[in-house]
Amino acid sequence: MAKMWAGRFTKELNKEVNDFNSSISFDGVMFESDIIGSIAHATMLGKQGIISEDDSKLICKTLSEILEDIKNGNLELDLEAEDIHMFIEAELTNRIGEVGKRLHTSRSRNDQVALDVRMHLRKEANEVMALILDLINAIIEIAKNNKETIMPGYTHLQRAQPITFANHLLAYAAMLKRDYQRFSDAFERMNYSPLGSCALAGTTYPIDRNMTAELLGFYGPTENSLDGVSDRDFCCEFASAASICMMHLSRFSEEIIMWCSWEFKFIDLDDAYSTGSSIMPQKKNPDICELVRGKTGRVYGDLMTLLTMLKGLPLAYNKDMQEDKEAIFDAFTTLKQCLSIFTPMLQTIKVNKDNMRNAAAKGFINATDLADYLVKYGMAFRDAYKISGSIVAYCIENNKVLETLSLDEYKKYSDLFKDDVYEAINLEKCTFKRNSFGASAVESVEKQIELINEFLKSINE
Ligand code: ARG
């Protein structure tokens, strides 16, 4: 097929070069954005008298038909085409001849592709944000049922202090809330139309960039024509938001993998969301979590691809930028896939409350509370900390736990110890007394749920 830019050339393009240059295999997914963008452009050209109203109408009508035909499977993308923009324009000209050739007046593929990517990513971002909200909702539901489920909280993966499973889960809701906000912030910054930047320098035609921006649901036109065609910050921002979100899912996955191991058995995954081993009959593997953890690296790779591709590019458009699509599309596809499978997997876990409670009863998880007890009776925290540490050492040596030491044994370390020490180190007491803002106590967890619900409500308003 002769190239649209063939005029200046005397030879046909080498076949391998054509394939190397072509992007339709991966930018074909933007066909809808491309066509809708072109309809807005043609409408504006007609309204401004740059082309006739009749031509404008015919172009718009035919573009709509092309869109329908692609959607219905009546028109296949031609992989020999250089990219989706050339393909649609060629198809338009095939159908209406001369008139089709007027569409590209005062436009370049440079502003066209910048527009298409933005429009395509708006859709992708909306889908991701909806999936993040689904996961937050799933977390809230499980948290509600586990406000009193005591588990060991860890630091350095060593049992640290008792917490509730609800509080642990709500940490992920807080992370996902930020993820949502990151996507939404990036969306707000991106939602400006580059159309009309043309190749890089704008145009002498009396175009109306505000009109196309408005027709296409943008807040307005981008302010600088060179920036309009060479800005891919939004790809980096989305890939960065996707990377951070994947990192959160990966940490969550890692915990789930541990929790469903025989060593923990805090939860069980539903059979529908785990896999077996080909040789070991007893195995039930958390493959989904492992894949999510693994795919995180791939999304980080997409971010690196984008940042590295842009680094050192002079203004304005350079063909390097064609590489933006595979990276950013992959980041979105991967994240969407991970979120859509992670949420139902989480919704179907079985929480083994007894195992969590039993694990919390070991490991001197209430040693801080023992120190706090002495502080309550007037001792300085550092001294109390030291005494509590010595008592733990004594217990370990004598195979005892804090709950079973006699009052006489306690008194050897300090006269401040009284009968009420047992209540102070009672696991339920020390968990549910931690009622500071954001903590594990039932009322603190309820406050967190209330706040996250308010956030969810504010989105729907
Ligand atoms: N396929 C190209 C891309 O994705 C479209 C823009 C081409 N512009 C150009 N001047 N060659 O970046």
Side-chain angles (χ1 to χ4, degrees), residues 245-259:
C245 187
M246 284 298 295
M247 177 266 286
H248 292 154
L249 294 181
S250 183
R251 293 180 78 170
F252 206 165
S253 294
E254 169 62 18
E255 298 211 290
I256 292 174
I257 292 165
M258 279 189 316
W259 290 341

Side-chain angles (χ1 to χ4, degrees), residues 16 78 103 161-162 197 207 229 239 259 268 327 370 377 399 417:
E16 253 177 73
D78 175 8
L103 169 64
Q161 287 175 341
S197 301
I207 58 170
V229 291
W259 290 341
D268 282 307
L370 185 65
Y377 286 110
N399 207 15
F417 282 118

Side-chain angles (χ1 to χ4, degrees), residues 27-36 67 70-71 84 88:
D27 66 20
V29 293
M30 304 193 301
F31 69 88
E32 186 162 10
S33 301
D34 191 77
I35 293 174
I36 292 178
L67 178 59
I70 299 178
K71 280 188 174 168
I84 188 64
I88 303 285

Side-chain angles (χ1 to χ4, degrees), residues 347-367:
Q347 280 166 328
T348 51
I349 61 166
K350 184 172 144 270
V351 181
N352 300 325
K353 299 187 180 184
D354 288 346
N355 290 350
M356 287 189 177
R357 172 70 180 76
N358 289 340
K362 296 169 192 153
F364 303 101
I365 207 159
N366 43 5

